[in-house]
């Protein structure tokens, strides 16, 4: 899957569980039947009114065809879209991404997605780290990340799971806006639970190499501070 959408929705207060129940029941299989892959859906642990989800496509043309089939022609969105929209204040915070290299996309799922009606939430946590760059992520930056950042993350038990950069292609489905004009580098990591993530951040904060060498060099390449999304998978999220 070479085209990734990372979507962050700001919801009306108290509406997140309602949207998640609707999404997990009605919008997973119905999207995958028309060519999208629903990678994962999450509660943002730092914002009770934010819902985050990820979907993927093989190409930009496949994205256009899948979104047309789902939003324009499909029955699921026609039937349940108004209820979903009623929970939202803003759905325009969407990043269009592509793998940073041919092997840095999301791995194949380790197990089948839980069935409709599943309610047990996994204890695992996914963290998305978003680097706003001064310039597009060229080979030199990707090599810097691979050589300097990745080993330290692995050493502190937070190794990258998947790595992406901005896809600058034209939005092939303008009915759904995406954020344009940004140079972003986005990577994901996975933790068994929130305690393991906290241990990682504590170990990283204590690392002299990170604080004295790698972080200053990284910060010089950023146009703004990084954003970290701490994400709790829903009961049916395949990425967990």
């Amino acid at each position: 899957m070479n085209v990734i959408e990372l979507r962050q929705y700001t919801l009306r207060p108290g509406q997140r569980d309602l949207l998640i129940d609707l999404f997990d029941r009605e919008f997973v299989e119905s999207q995958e039947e028309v060519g999208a892959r629903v990678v994962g859906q999450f509660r943002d642990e730092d914002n009770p009114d934010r819902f985050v989800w990820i979907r993927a496509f093989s190409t930009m043309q496949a994205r256009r065809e899948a979104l047309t089939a789902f939003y324009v022609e499909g029955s699921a969105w026609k039937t349940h879209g108004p209820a979903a929209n009623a929970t939202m204040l803003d759905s325009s915070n969407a990043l269009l991404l592509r793998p940073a290299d041919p092997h840095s996309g999301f791995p194949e799922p380790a197990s089948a997605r839980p069935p409709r009606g599943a309610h047990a939430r996994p204890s695992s946590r996914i963290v998305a780290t978003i680097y706003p760059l001064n310039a597009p992520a060229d080979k030199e930056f990707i090599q810097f990340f691979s050589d300097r950042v990745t080993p330290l993350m692995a050493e502190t038990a937070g190794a990258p799971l998947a790595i992406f950069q901005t896809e600058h292609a034209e939005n092939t489905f303008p009915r759904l806006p995406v954020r344009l004009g940004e140079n972003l580098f986005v990577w994901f990591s996975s933790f068994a639970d929130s305690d393991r993530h906290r241990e990682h951040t504590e170990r990283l904060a204590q690392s002299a190499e990170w604080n004295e060498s790698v972080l200053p060099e990284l910060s010089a390449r950023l146009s703004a501070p990084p954003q970290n999304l701490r994400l709790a998978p829903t009961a049916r999220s395949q990425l967990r």
Side-chain angles (χ1 to χ4, degrees):
M1 290 295 188
N2 296 313
V3 178
I4 305 295
E5 290 182 0
L6 173 60
R7 310 190 66 87
Q8 302 179 54
Y9 291 173
T10 301
L11 307 181
R12 299 182 186 280
Q15 295 294 292
R16 185 164 67 180
D17 284 348
L18 189 155
L19 176 60
I20 286 173
D21 288 345
L22 180 61
F23 191 105
D24 279 3
R25 186 179 68 247
E26 303 294 346
F27 297 151
V28 176
E29 284 79 5
S30 56
Q31 291 192 74
E32 297 199 328
E33 287 167 359
V34 297
R37 174 183 165 193
V38 179
V39 176
Q41 51 272 27
F42 312 92
R43 292 171 171 86
D44 185 324
E45 291 206 295
D46 296 308
N47 186 336
D49 299 318
R50 181 181 289 146
F51 171 64
V52 179
W53 65 291
I54 305 165
R55 66 180 163 196
F57 311 87
S58 57
T59 64
M60 291 297 292
Q61 175 65 16
R63 175 179 179 268
R64 184 188 69 80
E65 293 171 357
L67 296 185
T68 299
F70 179 72
Y71 289 106
V72 179
E73 302 166 353
S75 62
W77 187 253
K78 289 178 181 177
T79 302
H80 303 287
N85 284 335
T87 69
M88 303 177 196
L89 291 174
D90 179 70
S91 60
S92 64
N93 188 352
L95 302 181
L96 195 59
L97 307 169
R98 60 182 173 87
D101 67 51
H103 307 291
S104 71
F106 289 111
E108 288 298 314
S111 59
R113 178 185 287 111
R116 281 189 177 100
H119 295 293
R121 302 182 196 175
S123 61
S124 56
R125 295 295 184 266
I126 301 295
V127 176
T129 301
I130 302 172
Y131 291 159
L133 301 181
N134 291 321
D138 57 12
K139 290 182 179 180
E140 192 275 335
F141 179 84
I142 294 170
Q143 194 66 50
F144 161 76
F145 184 84
S146 176
D147 292 346
R148 303 294 306 283
V149 179
T150 295
L152 272 173
M153 296 303 166
E155 184 179 310
T156 56
L161 174 71
I163 307 168
F164 302 92
Q165 60 181 300
T166 298
E167 171 58 77
H168 288 292
E170 179 183 356
N171 183 4
T172 52
F173 194 77
R175 174 171 167 174
L176 288 184
V178 296
R179 287 163 52 181
L180 300 174
E182 299 177 83
N183 296 309
L184 302 174
F185 189 84
V186 182
W187 60 281
F188 295 82
S189 50
S190 176
F191 300 88
D193 52 41
S194 56
D195 288 340
R196 302 292 84 74
H197 176 245
R198 184 173 60 255
E199 290 172 3
H200 158 71
T201 58
E202 290 173 352
R203 291 176 63 186
L204 192 63
Q206 295 167 2
S207 167
E209 182 180 0
W210 172 252
N211 288 298
E212 298 170 11
S213 178
V214 178
L215 182 57
E217 188 172 350
L218 172 64
S219 298
R221 301 163 185 258
L222 303 183
S223 61
Q227 179 186 13
N228 292 287
L229 302 177
R230 297 190 307 137
L231 306 175
T234 72
R236 297 202 68 208
S237 178
Q238 195 152 42
L239 179 62
R240 56 179 59 207

